[in-house]
Amino acid sequence: MFTIASAPFAHNRKQTQTLMLLVILACLPGLAAQIWFFGWGSVIQIALAAVTALGCEALVLRLRARPVKPALLDGSALLTAVLIGLALPPLLPWWMTLVATAFAIIIAKHLYGGLGQNLFNPAMVAYVLLLVSFPVQMTSWLPPSDIAAYGIGFGDAVSTIFTGFSLDGYSMAQLKQGVDGLTMATPLDTLKTGLGQGLTASEVMTHSVFEGWGGIGWSWVNLGYLLGGLFLLQQRVIAWRIPVAMLASLFGAATLGYLISPDATATPMFHLFSGATMLGAFFIATDPVSASTTARGRLIYGALIGVLIYIIRRFGGYPDAIAFAVLLANLCVPMIDSLTRPKSYGERRK
């Protein structure tokens, strides 16, 4: 008996709902690290995104006269919401999360036909929408709890997200201050700003936000997503080609850049364990709908993302380049698949 269904396709016996739930489960180690170092804001963002995603999914499906319950239960909209919530700054204003999630579901997903038809990763479309429209708010990450001047509890996170002020009346600008009185930024943003001011990479690295491979907190966040990604590989939810190719090409490009100009770029390990590198490698680039579908194509697709990440981080205007790199690679997928499609048996080679 043959079953005809739309993408995403997986060469295993797991249903789409099971695959989506396994990916969400694999996000938990990284989420736990984000909560530990940056507070409960990410959980609230995920909750806001989930309610919005499920509501928009139900609304569009009803307008399209499609069954609502099976689509809500397949987990695809919920996974999109989780990825959006993880990628956003923890204390981003609530309405921005709602706008981004609604755009991801209604425009980036259903405008192209729904599950299995979208050309671009919906979560990254939502992220770029906010990053281009509200760059200040989208770069307003809190300092890690180890060096934060003010502690942020769950109530403070809720209050700041919905009112702009913590329970004690601190604004977002105040909450971004570290124990030394300086306004904190992410390690990638701090590095890019310092280099733009004429400092060398080693001079920028003396900032208090840098510690370990990718900065205070960020190394552990990336290790959490790496652990979740290895779980997905073990469960055969994703294939190894895209994440391995992406991380290898990013490491290679960063190594080459560091050897050529060590004063103007960070170490390769910093690029691997800072920002959203591991989240992008295992949870975003591996989207079965918008990624390449051939074996060789996935290697090219992953390598392209890795190189684009380094180029945008090094020469572009945005500190973390995961979203732009993935969307640019999504544009190339039809060509990559066309050039790497296996020859049919008996087909004459030109």
Side-chain angles (χ1 to χ4, degrees):
M1 179 178 180
F2 295 95
T3 301
I4 300 176
S6 64
F9 304 109
H11 292 287
N12 56 40
R13 298 181 181 180
K14 295 182 177 69
Q15 296 180 342
T16 300
Q17 181 186 47
T18 303
L19 295 174
M20 300 296 175
L21 292 178
L22 284 173
V23 175
I24 294 173
L25 178 64
C27 290
L28 294 181
L31 174 60
Q34 286 187 213
I35 294 172
W36 180 268
F37 288 102
F38 303 105
W40 291 93
S42 294
V43 176
I44 302 170
Q45 299 294 349
I46 290 174
L48 289 171
V51 172
T52 306
L54 294 175
C56 291
E57 183 93 347
L59 174 63
V60 175
L61 288 170
R62 188 170 293 277
L63 292 175
R64 296 178 61 194
R66 298 289 183 88
V68 174
K69 185 176 180 180
L72 293 181
L73 294 179
D74 67 17
S76 61
L78 182 60
L79 176 59
T80 298
V82 170
L83 294 177
I84 291 174
L86 292 173
L88 296 179
L91 300 186
L92 190 75
W94 64 273
W95 61 270
M96 292 187 186
T97 304
L98 268 60
V99 168
T101 307
F103 191 86
I105 298 298
I106 297 174
I107 304 300
K109 180 179 179 181
H110 282 285
L111 187 64
Y112 290 95
L115 180 64
Q117 306 299 321
N118 49 284
L119 298 179
F120 302 98
N121 186 298
M124 292 300 94
V125 171
Y127 184 88
V128 168
L129 170 71
L130 291 183
L131 186 59
V132 172
S133 304
F134 310 100
V136 175
Q137 291 85 346
M138 285 296 289
T139 54
S140 296
W141 279 81
L142 293 173
S145 56
D146 294 352
I147 56 174
Y150 306 101
I152 301 294
F154 183 82
D156 293 303
V158 173
S159 178
T160 306
I161 289 171
F162 285 96
T163 69
F165 296 90
S166 68
L167 294 177
D168 294 326
Y170 295 118
S171 66
M172 187 64 200
Q174 292 172 307
L175 294 175
K176 288 177 63 178
Q177 291 182 359
V179 292
D180 54 6
L182 298 176
T183 300
M184 295 286 112
T186 64
L188 284 168
D189 192 31
T190 301
L191 176 66
K192 180 168 285 292
T193 301
L195 293 175
Q197 294 173 345
L199 300 176
T200 65
S202 58
E203 290 173 336
V204 178
M205 291 290 184
T206 60
H207 194 284
S208 57
V209 76
F210 293 97
E211 184 180 282
W213 289 334
I216 297 179
W218 291 97
S219 297
W220 289 103
V221 170
N222 276 276
L223 285 172
Y225 289 121
L226 174 59
L227 178 62
L230 294 176
F231 169 75
L232 294 179
L233 290 174
Q234 188 272 330
Q235 291 291 314
R236 297 187 178 181
V237 174
I238 62 175
W240 63 269
R241 290 178 178 83
I242 292 176
V244 169
M246 173 186 151
L247 295 176
S249 65
L250 175 58
F251 183 84
T255 300
L256 181 61
Y258 188 74
L259 292 175
I260 294 174
S261 180
D263 289 337
T265 186
T267 65
M269 295 303 291
F270 175 82
H271 280 284
L272 289 183
F273 288 94
S274 191
T277 302
M278 295 299 171
L279 177 65
F282 292 99
F283 296 89
I284 295 172
T286 54
D287 174 29
V289 179
S290 57
S292 179
T293 57
T294 67
R296 286 187 300 160
R298 288 172 179 170
L299 291 172
I300 297 172
Y301 173 79
L304 176 62
I305 293 175
V307 171
L308 287 173
I309 289 171
Y310 178 76
I311 292 174
I312 297 173
R313 284 181 178 179
R314 176 66 180 85
F315 303 103
Y318 295 95
D320 199 353
I322 300 295
F324 288 103
V326 169
L327 294 181
L328 289 172
N330 288 161
L331 282 172
C332 301
V333 164
M335 182 181 67
I336 293 173
D337 283 351
S338 176
L339 295 176
T340 60
R341 185 175 61 248
K343 298 292 184 181
S344 301
Y345 180 76
E347 181 180 351
R348 180 177 297 177
R349 294 183 180 273
K350 296 181 180 180

